[in-house]
Amino acid sequence: MKLCMIGTGYVGLVSGTCFADIGNEVVCVDKDEKKIKKLNQGSSPIYEPGLDELIKKNFLAKRLRFTTNLKDAINSSDIIFICVGTPTKKGSLKVDLSFVFKCTKDILRFSKKKKIIVTKSTVPVGTGDEIEKILKKRKKNFSIISNPEFLREGEAIRDFRYPDRIVIGSNDKNVFKIMKKLYLPSINKGTKFITTTRRGAELIKYASNAFLATKITFINEVANLCEKSGVNIEDVSLGMGSDNRIGSRFLRAGPAYGGSCFPKDTKGLVSAADKYKINLSVVKSVIKSNQERVNLLTQRIHKILGSNLKNKKISFLGVTFKPNTDDMRDSTSLKMIPYLCKKGAKVNYYDPSGEKKEFKKIKNCKYTKNIKSNCSGADLIVLLTEWDEFKSLDFKKIVKNGKLKIYDLRNLYSAEEMKKNKIKYFSVGRPNIN
Ligand code: UDX
């Protein structure tokens, strides 16, 4: 099939490349000339394991091309995927849909033949209806459908190939057959193909992300209780998750959830519900609890190092919101590091995805190129992101410091082992055995 992806951000680029890899002819279009130039030279502007290779392979096979020429891209395709950003409006919970609507107007202006328009961007319930209103002059020429993506950063290619489900929302039933054909390689491997109304699909995406955010926040709050009551959160997660009705995934306690989706989508859902005068009180509490979590974790650092942090050397292992990505959006580090530096601490950080522009201007914050130089002489090591290379470190060898203290926000290590090695070890939701 001939596909056009508008927007070469995370969603558009990964989906476009993977669609090409299963035999479609895909054109990815973006107004950012630098990005398109980079892509045409065969390198990905985003960090995603395996993506560079897949782009090169499909580019060389001439199934995948990149352009800034929207008119040409639209007219050479039958299905147009809207993959532009839907950020939160500054100072509110509302979703900024201006990029989606701009894109719709462009499609109306440029397209000559009948097209299927698919919103892949996460949009509030009813957005497809708004798109339809913009296209009303030539409504018959378009089918507007919703096909939300559920790709996780760092695991996006695998998630595209083996999704749990594919959701297609359309008020025009004829489109289901075409979309089923497009996704046949995954459906043949056993993926559920769910069809619903357009509004239904839009809401499935928001409700899914808000539910996952709720699950994480719930276990994080139970972890707080575990710390006080001397229980191990991992026992609780295992015990709860073994109930099939609950499920074991997304029950890992840790820092506040972050990334490009959960913080934005929980807010977007609350604001969409407000429009219908529905109070989503649970989701509102989740947003609040997650925002407050950073304070709770910094208070813990004070407990470990004392109230005066002046000249204390704190070393972070990992600063991205999760491993296998360079994405810093809503990472706990963005609040934690500036706070600690303001209190006079000297912060070093190492992250496998490299130095971060977000910390360049912060006084007392320094990027180091490897684990050893990052941690040497530290008063406290904060393990924030669970990159593989942090999972089996021999801290005694890395840091020749008798008073070594570690705050492991991902529970990667055994408290008992640490005690045996005479390391003061603090983690999340476990009894303190120091
Ligand atoms: C998420 C959704 O999973 C995906 O379906 C959607 O399309 C985009 O948003 P992503 O943001 O890439 O994906 O990461 P995810 O792996 O879901 O993690 C999100 C946040 O939750 C991270 O901060 C992660 O550390 C945290 N998390 C996740 C936990 O704290 N505990 C868990 O058990 C799982």
Side-chain angles (χ1 to χ4, degrees):
M1 289 189 198
K2 292 183 173 179
L3 315 178
C4 164
M5 318 300 291
I6 306 184
T8 57
Y10 203 80
V11 176
L13 189 57
V14 173
S15 311
T17 307
C18 291
F19 275 134
D21 201 50
I22 52 173
N24 297 287
E25 219 177 280
V26 181
V27 51
C28 293
V29 53
D30 204 295
K31 60 181 182 204
D32 185 334
E33 285 180 16
K34 265 197 214 146
K35 238 186 195 181
I36 294 298
K37 194 173 166 200
K38 207 169 170 195
L39 283 162
N40 276 322
Q41 286 161 350
S43 76
S44 161
I46 59 169
Y47 182 108
E48 179 65 33
L51 188 60
D52 263 334
E53 294 80 348
L54 218 57
I55 289 175
K56 270 186 205 128
K57 175 185 158 200
N58 288 285
F59 183 75
L60 291 175
K62 297 200 182 327
R63 284 190 296 262
L64 181 62
R65 64 187 178 95
F66 304 98
T67 180
T68 52
N69 187 336
L70 186 59
K71 188 175 177 185
D72 164 69
I74 288 173
N75 283 310
S76 57
S77 316
D78 302 314
I79 308 180
I80 301 164
F81 287 85
I82 298 181
C83 307
V84 294
T86 51
T88 306
K89 278 188 184 165
K90 268 213 173 111
S92 96
L93 298 183
K94 286 191 185 137
V95 181
D96 177 358
L97 289 169
S98 55
F99 300 115
V100 172
F101 295 146
K102 158 90 176 54
C103 208
T104 309
K105 286 174 195 155
D106 287 337
I107 297 171
L108 179 66
R109 188 151 59 104
F110 292 137
S111 85
K112 291 185 186 129
K113 282 195 308 191
K114 196 168 164 56
K115 308 273 175 207
I116 296 175
I117 302 175
V118 186
T119 47
K120 254 215 175 294
S121 305
T122 303
V123 293
V125 56
T127 303
D129 302 1
E130 299 291 316
I131 293 177
E132 205 162 62
K133 271 188 212 153
I134 297 174
L135 300 171
K136 71 171 183 280
K137 269 196 251 158
R138 287 168 48 216
K139 207 170 136 186
K140 278 194 202 132
N141 279 4
F142 303 103
S143 293
I144 300 122
I145 71 168
S146 165
N147 168 214
E149 60 81 27
F150 300 99
L151 310 177
R152 285 166 304 163
E153 291 187 27
E155 284 162 89
I157 294 172
R158 194 210 149 272
D159 282 352
F160 183 95
R161 288 178 176 156
Y162 306 97
D164 288 337
R165 79 301 208 187
I166 289 155
V167 176
I168 305 291
S170 173
N171 301 344
D172 167 8
K173 293 212 165 72
N174 298 321
V175 172
F176 292 136
K177 232 167 62 194
I178 301 170
M179 295 308 284
K180 193 167 184 178
K181 197 170 157 205
L182 178 64
Y183 281 109
L184 212 57
S186 298
I187 296 167
N188 284 342
K189 280 185 261 173
T191 297
K192 245 190 225 158
F193 183 74
I194 299 171
T195 56
T196 175
T197 58
R198 191 169 60 209
R199 284 181 167 224
E202 289 168 342
L203 194 49
I204 284 171
K205 169 68 196 247
Y206 269 103
S208 301
N209 275 358
F211 189 78
L212 291 169
T214 304
K215 220 174 159 184
I216 297 166
T217 305
F218 182 87
I219 208 69
N220 281 343
E221 288 198 351
V222 175
N224 298 341
L225 176 59
C226 285
E227 282 172 23
K228 294 279 182 209
S229 57
V231 175
N232 190 332
I233 188 65
E234 274 134 44
D235 295 344
V236 179
S237 295
L238 178 67
M240 281 175 66
S242 303
D243 182 330
N244 282 336
R245 292 171 303 175
I246 298 172
S248 60
R249 295 172 74 191
F250 282 71
L251 281 182
R252 270 183 298 112
Y257 62 74
S260 61
C261 291
F262 290 170
K264 170 175 83 71
D265 295 350
T266 41
K267 290 177 195 154
L269 182 59
V270 165
S271 129
D274 280 348
K275 218 173 111 186
Y276 293 92
K277 299 202 167 30
I278 294 297
N279 179 19
L280 292 184
S281 62
V282 173
V283 187
K284 281 181 187 167
S285 304
V286 166
I287 296 169
K288 192 160 172 264
S289 172
N290 195 59
Q291 282 166 347
E292 284 166 359
R293 185 146 188 85
V294 184
N295 303 337
L296 205 131
L297 303 177
T298 45
Q299 286 320 306
R300 188 98 196 268
I301 293 185
H302 275 299
K303 268 201 182 142
I304 299 169
L305 289 178
S307 56
N308 185 2
L309 296 180
K310 197 153 175 55
N311 292 327
K312 293 277 185 209
K313 192 176 163 200
I314 304 177
S315 300
F316 275 73
L317 287 176
V319 288
T320 50
F321 84 97
K322 64 182 274 189
N324 301 321
T325 176
D326 59 356
D327 201 335
M328 289 292 289
R329 280 176 283 182
D330 273 295
S331 170
T332 293
S333 67
L334 289 175
K335 286 194 182 139
M336 227 180 201
I337 291 181
Y339 170 86
L340 297 171
C341 290
K342 215 169 153 197
K343 291 280 165 192
K346 293 200 162 130
V347 173
N348 277 350
Y349 72 95
Y350 165 73
D351 191 281
S353 69
E355 191 173 5
K356 303 295 160 205
K357 63 177 187 317
E358 288 83 352
F359 299 133
K360 275 198 171 149
K361 285 194 183 136
I362 296 181
K363 214 176 130 204
N364 289 342
C365 178
K366 210 173 81 203
Y367 170 70
T368 54
K369 284 203 172 107
N370 59 58
I371 298 174
K372 201 165 178 176
S373 57
N374 186 56
C375 297
S376 96
D379 293 301
L380 177 69
I381 295 172
V382 179
L383 213 163
L384 184 72
T385 318
E386 71 276 36
W387 288 87
D388 279 346
E389 62 186 271
F390 301 152
K391 286 182 179 165
S392 42
L393 296 174
D394 186 345
F395 286 102
K396 278 278 165 182
K397 269 197 188 148
I398 296 170
V399 193
K400 293 193 174 70
N401 174 354
K403 289 177 284 177
L404 182 59
K405 290 179 181 156
I406 297 174
Y407 186 15
D408 177 2
L409 288 166
R410 301 288 180 172
N411 290 357
L412 296 183
Y413 290 88
S414 138
E416 286 76 16
E417 281 299 309
M418 289 287 176
K419 194 175 180 183
K420 260 192 231 157
N421 286 321
K422 299 196 171 46
I423 295 172
K424 288 243 185 276
Y425 177 77
F426 307 86
S427 47
V428 179
R430 290 154 154 187
N432 187 354
I433 61 164
N434 288 303

